[in-house]
Amino acid sequence: MFGKILIANRGEIALRIIRTCKEMGIKTVAVYSTADRDSLHVRFADEAVCIGPPSSTESYLSIPKIMAAVEITNADAVHPGYGFLAENADFAEVCQEYGVKFIGPAPEMIRKMGDKVTAKDTMIKAGVPVVPGTGGLVKDAKSAIVVAKEIGFPVIIKATAGGGGKGMRIVERAEDMKENLELAQKEAKASFGNDGIYVEKFIEEPRHIEIQIIGDQSGKVIHLSERDCSIQRRHQKLVEESPSPFMTDELRERMGAAAIKAGECIKYEGVGTVEFLVDKNRDFYFMEMNTRIQVEHCVTEEVIDHDLIKEQIKVAAGINIEGGNRIPMMHAMEVRINAEDPFNDWRPSPGKINSFHSAKGHGVRVDTHVYAGYSVPPYYDSMIAKLICRAQTREECITKMQRALDEFIIEGIKTTIPFHKMLMKDEDFRAGNFHTGFLNTFDLTEK
Ligand code: MV4
């Protein structure tokens, strides 16, 4: 097992990783920017190294700075958390060359899944259902129109270097193809430095359901069931839950088997997530694969009662997984508490938290790095806490969530708590009647 892990991240996930390391008897190194001097991850780690100014590019995203911290502290593994360098194949490669274990899959795997056309092609070969489309990069508008007519309009244009919704365009008619292709290409070039694009059938009102998998160094892959992440705004998830209210035992069987096939065919090592779009008929299609631990991993931890960070570290250390797939034993729901004003176009609301009282009690978990007196810096992600509730049924889980949201006090900054209170009252949400477009029509006027 590792003796010392450096955590190349900040915020709640850095703390989350430190907690598991402590329980495993592993020493921890925190890295921090000058904006995070007073952060709890700095206090709770065994050692801490300042790696630069507030700007992410000069601190948490700087490979040389992180490697210098690895060097001076003699860490034997790096946990990248999520965001920042978590899906940076070059970073994983530098770690490998330096001889420090990157806790995650091999660089080639990250690279393969990071290129969406290659990822899709890999899944087709593995026998995982994908959305019908151009099967490879688009050459010109003419050939794209031929494919679009075959599969039927509307279609969606995506960037191969994209993901997470960046640079997508919906095309309704053949006449609009050329212009949209050119614009999408330009945008992709500007955002990712890669103008490769592809076209596929646009799935209307899909759900976003993802399967958590874990693979070990022997090639064994198991699934840990699903999370429903359909409640999103501009590709930012706000609520995640497991099981999905749309799930059936039969669908889980099929999606779980597909996710395992995906993992097995690429010899996936570590924790990963296979994202699917699921349509009204419960047909599902591979969308993307995330090669990191995700923000919403806690939902899975609660329903299967297992520490995913611990599993991740064990697999990275060469310890093989025991047992088979895991099915939810409870219902769990996570809401993201962001420093944003939902009633003012979700504008970021950094600043000093004057008072902070976390919800507590049976079935309530709060993962956060903030406390009364903490100042939310304006430089990073706006998420300041995750509130996770679990109960025997979805209905009880929502009731508990409402109780917990009512108990939460955060003063000094605006947060997404009032939005979550409104959502928990919404009849369609309560009935499990929602898809990825749900928030586009959600009424945010205070009643
Ligand atoms: C789609 C789609 C409909 N049809 N692909 C958005 C994020 C990126 N990973 C892919 N996305 C979508 N791809 C086809 N063929 C609709 C979306 C989409 C979406 C997906 C998941 C969660 C929220 C979403 C919001 C808008 C669009």
Side-chain angles (χ1 to χ4, degrees):
M1 188 38 72
F2 307 116
K4 195 191 269 187
I5 295 179
L6 180 139
I7 297 125
N9 216 302
R10 63 179 300 280
E12 69 85 18
I13 192 64
L15 265 182
R16 168 76 194 79
I17 297 161
I18 291 170
R19 288 187 173 126
T20 290
C21 288
K22 283 199 173 174
E23 291 173 9
M24 295 177 78
I26 300 169
K27 292 266 178 269
T28 50
V29 180
V31 293
Y32 64 99
S33 74
T34 53
D36 280 339
R37 271 211 176 97
D38 300 325
S39 236
L40 288 183
H41 78 285
V42 176
R43 281 221 227 161
F44 289 169
D46 296 298
E47 291 171 74
V49 182
C50 182
I51 52 164
S55 150
S56 300
T57 50
E58 292 176 80
S59 54
Y60 301 106
L61 282 173
S62 165
I63 297 174
K65 296 268 184 70
I66 305 276
M67 293 318 290
V70 168
E71 165 96 44
I72 60 172
T73 57
N74 236 332
D76 46 15
V78 173
H79 198 305
Y82 52 70
F84 296 122
L85 297 170
E87 284 169 299
N88 185 311
D90 295 337
F91 178 57
E93 205 162 73
V94 171
C95 288
Q96 203 172 53
E97 277 161 22
Y98 183 82
V100 57
K101 176 67 185 173
F102 174 84
I103 301 178
E108 307 81 60
M109 193 76 64
I110 301 175
R111 215 165 263 135
K112 209 179 207 175
M113 293 301 126
D115 184 89
K116 305 305 163 193
V117 165
T118 307
K120 194 172 168 182
D121 195 49
T122 307
M123 294 305 151
I124 294 170
K125 287 186 181 128
V128 176
V130 302
V131 185
T134 42
L137 296 175
V138 167
K139 287 175 204 78
D140 51 52
K142 219 168 155 187
S143 58
I145 290 168
V146 172
V147 173
K149 281 184 174 161
E150 260 170 44
I151 60 181
F153 284 95
V155 295
I156 184 166
I157 305 175
K158 296 183 179 182
T160 189
K166 273 178 282 178
M168 302 189 324
R169 279 171 176 275
I170 300 161
V171 182
E172 310 271 353
R173 319 172 302 166
E175 300 90 278
D176 302 334
M177 185 67 86
K178 194 165 189 293
E179 190 193 342
N180 277 290
L181 275 182
E182 280 162 9
L183 285 168
Q185 240 157 356
K186 242 186 236 154
E187 276 172 19
K189 182 86 192 160
S191 320
F192 317 114
N194 174 346
D195 67 359
I197 52 170
Y198 62 107
V199 169
E200 58 185 35
K201 173 107 189 118
F202 178 66
I203 310 291
E204 317 242 10
E205 306 192 338
R207 284 181 175 255
H208 171 139
I209 301 180
E210 56 189 33
I211 305 281
Q212 179 72 57
I213 62 165
I214 178 160
D216 67 24
Q217 294 180 8
S218 79
K220 177 174 170 178
V221 180
I222 61 168
H223 81 72
L224 310 177
S225 298
E226 79 282 4
R227 294 183 289 259
D228 193 316
C229 308
S230 301
I231 303 293
Q232 322 199 346
R233 185 186 164 273
R234 300 201 180 158
H235 307 295
Q236 292 294 317
K237 294 169 185 163
L238 281 158
V239 179
E240 303 97 345
E241 63 181 303
S242 184
S244 165
F246 199 60
M247 192 51 68
T248 62
D249 290 344
E250 185 265 345
L251 180 59
R252 183 180 296 116
E253 199 97 2
R254 286 193 288 134
M255 291 181 71
I260 289 173
K261 258 203 278 187
E264 277 174 352
C265 90
I266 56 176
K267 289 211 178 309
Y268 190 79
E269 180 204 315
V271 301
T273 303
V274 188
E275 295 186 347
F276 293 101
L277 290 172
V278 184
D279 71 15
K280 287 186 188 70
N281 307 319
R282 290 198 170 80
D283 284 326
F284 61 90
Y285 310 91
F286 170 81
M287 183 163 55
E288 281 174 28
M289 175 155 183
N290 300 315
T291 56
R292 59 169 191 275
I293 191 79
Q294 288 186 281
V295 175
E296 61 270 27
H297 75 277
C298 312
V299 163
T300 302
E301 293 188 323
E302 294 304 313
V303 296
I304 66 167
D305 198 22
H306 240 80
D307 180 336
L308 287 194
I309 303 287
K310 187 173 176 181
E311 296 302 317
Q312 194 183 23
I313 293 171
K314 278 167 67 179
V315 161
I319 301 169
N320 289 337
I321 40 188
E322 283 162 41
N325 303 331
R326 306 268 157 70
I327 304 301
M329 302 188 294
M330 313 252 296
H331 197 95
M333 187 177 285
E334 168 179 287
V335 303
R336 298 194 190 189
I337 301 177
N338 298 340
E340 290 169 7
D341 183 357
F343 306 114
N344 202 343
D345 200 26
W346 304 79
R347 190 178 304 179
S349 178
K352 187 166 178 187
I353 297 175
N354 298 320
S355 67
F356 184 86
H357 178 271
S358 168
K360 296 179 178 78
H362 182 234
V364 176
R365 166 176 173 183
V366 177
D367 277 21
T368 184
H369 59 291
V370 315
Y371 50 86
Y374 175 85
S375 278
V376 180
Y379 312 103
Y380 314 109
D381 190 271
S382 65
M383 193 179 76
I384 54 167
K386 304 187 297 201
L387 166 59
I388 306 114
C389 290
R390 75 166 180 191
Q392 287 301 324
T393 65
R394 185 170 190 267
E395 206 180 347
E396 289 173 277
C397 191
I398 292 174
T399 303
K400 195 181 285 286
M401 184 63 83
Q402 289 180 298
R403 186 273 286 171
L405 286 165
D406 284 340
E407 207 173 293
F408 231 113
I409 300 168
I410 301 178
E411 283 168 345
I413 58 166
K414 297 275 200 287
T415 77
T416 47
I417 290 175
F419 159 76
H420 289 302
K421 288 182 181 171
M422 291 168 76
L423 180 69
M424 295 302 140
K425 280 196 251 177
D426 184 271
E427 265 176 52
D428 283 321
F429 177 75
R430 295 180 73 97
N433 249 330
F434 52 81
H435 54 79
T436 53
F438 182 80
L439 292 187
N440 299 341
T441 54
F442 189 74
D443 183 7
L444 265 168
T445 47
E446 283 171 286
K447 288 176 192 108

